[in-house]
Structures are given as structure tokens and as C-alpha cells.
């Protein structure tokens, strides 16, 4: 009897493991959205161009000042991330910065402190002379990587930061609710984070929405995570919203409707560019792929965004990888 029970249990575990493996390798095709990809743009004097490098890494450049969100390039593979210790890959970071054409940055600004946003940021700051900007959790990540306090700028909700002709306002936000993050409050990092470390050491920390204005009159909102703070963006205006969609495909209709209503509609934006939809366990030296169905459903996300965009007269466009584009 015991032998039969053990065999049945083993069979059940194998079935569950097989399901997880299959689902982790099933993902939506990006082919249906190729026509939505914005064209690469030659340098335009006085204008703002952006480069996208996966997840929520965005490089803003007006020809005078260059700054970056996140700066996450290492993208360690899934098994190492889950069962080992991870840290920045200096050679991958250097290669990615060269590919972006970045040698100097005014600032690198992670939108929160999870590893897929903040892990590489101190090394990017060291390589480029940038200020590392964030809350107290980012200070501890920077200290753990040996970054001097003088190369960090600590901000709180409501603060603004002037970078050349760019003005950035930091608005307290929330992470998308997941089994990993509740979406209702930050989990701070309270001591220097030494590397390499287990993935769970990169706790959420402060979560930001970035309201960006430029002297040219252009305005942008960077919403790195699909969390909702009712009313937080009521007075933000933006021509373009860089909209974090991670795990949005697993949310119900009510949540997606509230996210659009609280994040896109108040800004008066005429364009939405989805970000944080790619599988960040895969390297950047190959074409991006959508997050597996086990974690998200990018088909559902795009169908939802395009439907809401048609209703509200807002175009949905995709960012090219590494190429400069006019947002």
C-alpha cells in the first residue's frame, strides 16, 4: 500500500514538473506586433530620443543630457536566479552600453529595488559617472557595490530632479500585485547588499512613477510596474506613457480597467508604449521574447491595450530594441 502511494505521489510530482517546464517554454509570439514598432530615428537637434534595452531600461537623450532608468543588462538565466546567487555581469553591461552608444550618463534611476531593475545600476553608475538616484533601499544597494555616497542622490516622494533640460518628478507608486510582491507597500532594504546574493535579497524598496518634462515642451510618464495608487497621477500630464505591463495579463478585467483609468487616462497621453513585457532571463544578444504564459499573457495585454486605445483615441506602439526612436 505504501509503495503504491509513493508511486502515485511521484507520478503527480512528475506531472506538475512537466506542466511547469512546458508552460515556462510556451510564450506568445511577438510577430503580430511588429507593425507597431516605432522606426529608428536619426539625431534630431533639440528633440528627445529614447532607446529601449528590455524590461524598463530606457535611455533619454536630447543631444546634451543623457540619463537612464534601471540600467539592467545582466539578465541571469532562470535556474541560476532561482537556485543560486546572482550579481552584475560586467562584460555584458559594457557590451550593452556600447550598443546603446552610452559613455556618460547624468543619472541612472531604478524604478524600484528588485534585481531586474536595480542589480546592475551601481556598476552602470561607476562606468558612466552617473548619479545613482532612488530611495533609502537604493542607497543600500549602492553601498553594497562600493559606490560612494557622493555619487548617490536620495529622493523621496514629491521630489524633483533637474538633469539639463529634463525635469523629473518622483511619485510614490506600487508594484504590481504578485506572489512575490503584495502591491500594497514597500519592503525596504536596510543594510548594504553585498554581491553576489540570492534574488530575494533585492527587496522591493521604494517604487516610483517618473513624471518627466523637457524644455522643448515634451512630457512623459514612466510607469515601471503595473501597480495602482488611486489618484496619484491625477495632476500628471504626458504626451507618451511608457506603461509597465508585467503580470498585467494575469489580472482580471476590473484590475486592467482600473490600471488604465488611473495611469493612462489622467495624463491626456496620445501614445502608450508597453514596457516590462519581455523575458528577462534571456540575454540581450538575441531578439526579445515575451514572458512565458506561466507568468504572464502578453497577447491578453496587447488585446486589452489596443481595445482601450481605440476607445480613447490613444495609439499603442512598440519600442525597437537598442535603436533610438522619437517617443
Amino acid at each position: 500500500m505504501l509503495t503504491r502511494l509513493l508511486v502515485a505521489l511521484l507520478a503527480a510530482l512528475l506531472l506538475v514538473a512537466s506542466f511547469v517546464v512546458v508552460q515556462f517554454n510556451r510564450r506568445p509570439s511577438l510577430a503580430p506586433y511588429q507593425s507597431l514598432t516605432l522606426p529608428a530615428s536619426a539625431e534630431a537637434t533639440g528633440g528627445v530620443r529614447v532607446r529601449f534595452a528590455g524590461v524598463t531600461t530606457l535611455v533619454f537623450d536630447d543631444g546634451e543630457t543623457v540619463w537612464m532608468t534601471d540600467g539592467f543588462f545582466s539578465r541571469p538565466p532562470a535556474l541560476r536566479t532561482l537556485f543560486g546567487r546572482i550579481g552584475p555581469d560586467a562584460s555584458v553591461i559594457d557590451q550593452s552600453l556600447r550598443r546603446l552608444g552610452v559613455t556618460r550618463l547624468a543619472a541612472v534611476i531604478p524604478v524600484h529595488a528588485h534585481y531586474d531593475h536595480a542589480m546592475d545600476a551601481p556598476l552602470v553608475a561607476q562606468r558612466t559617472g552617473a548619479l545613482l538616484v532612488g530611495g533609502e533601499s537604493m542607497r543600500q544597494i549602492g553601498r553594497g557595490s562600493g559606490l560612494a555616497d557622493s555619487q548617490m542622490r536620495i529622493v523621496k516622494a514629491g521630489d524633483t530632479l533637474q538633469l539639463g533640460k529634463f525635469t523629473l518628478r518622483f511619485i510614490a507608486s506600487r508594484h504590481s500585485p504578485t506572489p512575490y510582491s503584495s502591491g500594497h507597500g514597500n519592503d525596504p532594504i536596510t543594510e548594504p547588499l553585498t554581491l553576489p546574493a540570492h534574488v530575494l535579497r533585492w527587496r522591493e524598496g521604494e517604487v516610483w512613477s517618473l513624471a518627466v518634462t523637457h524644455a522643448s515642451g515634451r512630457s512623459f510618464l514612466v510607469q515601471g510596474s503595473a501597480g495602482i495608487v488611486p489618484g496619484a497621477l491625477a495632476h500628471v500630464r504626458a504626451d507618451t506613457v511608457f506603461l509597465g505591463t508585467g503580470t498585467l495579463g494575469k489580472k482580471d478585467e476590473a484590475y486592467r480597467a482600473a490600471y488604465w483609468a488611473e495611469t493612462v487616462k489622467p495624463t491626456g497621453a496620445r501614445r502608450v508604449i508597453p514596457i516590462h513585457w519581455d523575458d528577462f532571463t534571456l540575454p540581450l544578444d538575441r531578439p526579445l521574447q515575451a514572458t512565458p504564459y506561466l507568468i504572464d499573457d502578453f497577447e491578453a495585454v496587447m488585446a486589452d491595450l489596443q481595445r482601450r486605445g481605440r476607445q480613447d483615441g490613444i495609439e499603442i506602439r512598440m519600442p525597437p530594441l537598442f535603436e533610438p526612436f522619437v517617443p
Side-chain angles (χ1 to χ4, degrees):
M1 183 67 178
L2 181 59
T3 302
R4 289 181 180 178
L5 182 61
L6 289 174
V7 169
L9 180 60
L10 179 60
L13 289 174
L14 287 173
L15 282 173
V16 170
S18 298
F19 173 80
V20 170
V21 170
V22 169
Q23 288 298 101
F24 199 78
N25 286 280
R26 289 184 63 244
R27 64 188 76 237
S29 170
L30 297 179
Y33 317 115
Q34 292 303 308
S35 63
L36 302 179
T37 301
L38 290 163
S41 171
E43 186 173 354
T45 303
V48 176
R49 294 188 306 161
V50 174
R51 293 173 176 86
F52 171 65
V55 199
T56 57
T57 292
L58 300 165
V59 180
F60 286 78
D61 182 355
D62 67 355
E64 298 177 10
T65 304
V66 186
W67 61 276
M68 177 186 293
T69 57
D70 287 7
F72 176 63
F73 306 110
S74 295
R75 299 166 70 104
L79 289 179
R80 188 194 311 162
T81 300
L82 291 173
F83 301 111
R85 296 194 302 165
I86 57 175
D89 186 321
S91 63
V92 170
I93 291 170
D94 290 342
Q95 180 184 32
S96 300
L97 290 174
R98 285 194 299 269
R99 194 172 171 188
L100 286 166
V102 168
T103 56
R104 299 288 297 176
L105 288 170
V108 56
I109 307 171
V111 295
H112 60 269
H114 284 158
Y115 90 98
D116 55 315
H117 302 272
M119 185 175 78
D120 292 349
L123 186 53
V124 170
Q126 290 172 345
R127 290 289 203 263
T128 62
L131 280 175
L132 177 64
V133 182
E136 289 295 332
S137 292
M138 278 310 310
R139 191 203 300 268
Q140 300 301 341
I141 292 174
R143 284 176 171 171
S145 295
L147 202 65
D149 281 359
S150 60
Q151 203 173 341
M152 293 187 278
R153 177 74 58 84
I154 306 307
V155 294
K156 60 184 184 299
D159 283 355
T160 61
L161 177 66
Q162 195 71 38
L163 300 173
K165 295 178 180 177
F166 293 96
T167 303
L168 285 62
R169 180 155 58 96
F170 291 79
I171 301 167
S173 187
R174 290 176 180 164
H175 194 277
S176 175
T178 69
Y180 187 50
S181 295
S182 70
H184 293 292
N186 70 62
D187 182 15
I189 299 172
T190 57
E191 59 186 23
L193 177 54
T194 55
L195 305 178
H198 189 271
V199 64
L200 295 179
R201 295 288 307 284
W202 280 273
R203 297 193 293 273
E204 184 176 306
E206 299 82 1
V207 182
W208 305 113
S209 300
L210 287 179
V212 182
T213 57
H214 188 261
S216 65
R218 299 300 307 276
S219 57
F220 314 95
L221 172 68
V222 179
Q223 180 69 23
S225 188
I228 301 170
V229 178
L233 303 175
H235 302 294
V236 173
R237 297 294 175 263
D239 303 313
T240 300
V241 175
F242 292 92
L243 188 69
T245 64
T247 73
L248 192 60
K250 295 294 187 180
K251 303 295 192 290
D252 59 21
E253 164 65 20
Y255 189 93
R256 292 197 297 264
Y259 185 52
W260 180 271
E262 292 286 350
T263 306
V264 177
K265 290 291 290 293
T267 67
R270 308 320 304 162
R271 175 178 286 174
V272 165
I273 299 176
I275 55 175
H276 209 334
W277 46 262
D278 57 300
D279 184 349
F280 49 82
T281 67
L282 301 177
L284 286 168
D285 60 0
R286 64 182 71 173
L288 295 183
Q289 296 190 52
T291 301
Y293 283 117
L294 184 67
I295 299 169
D296 205 355
D297 185 346
F298 190 58
E299 284 179 334
V301 169
M302 288 301 288
D304 184 79
L305 294 182
Q306 289 177 299
R307 175 173 62 84
R308 298 184 195 280
R310 286 191 296 269
Q311 290 173 349
D312 294 331
I314 301 172
E315 65 171 350
I316 311 297
R317 301 298 296 268
M318 295 289 285
L321 182 64
F322 283 107
E323 297 291 334
F325 62 92
V326 176

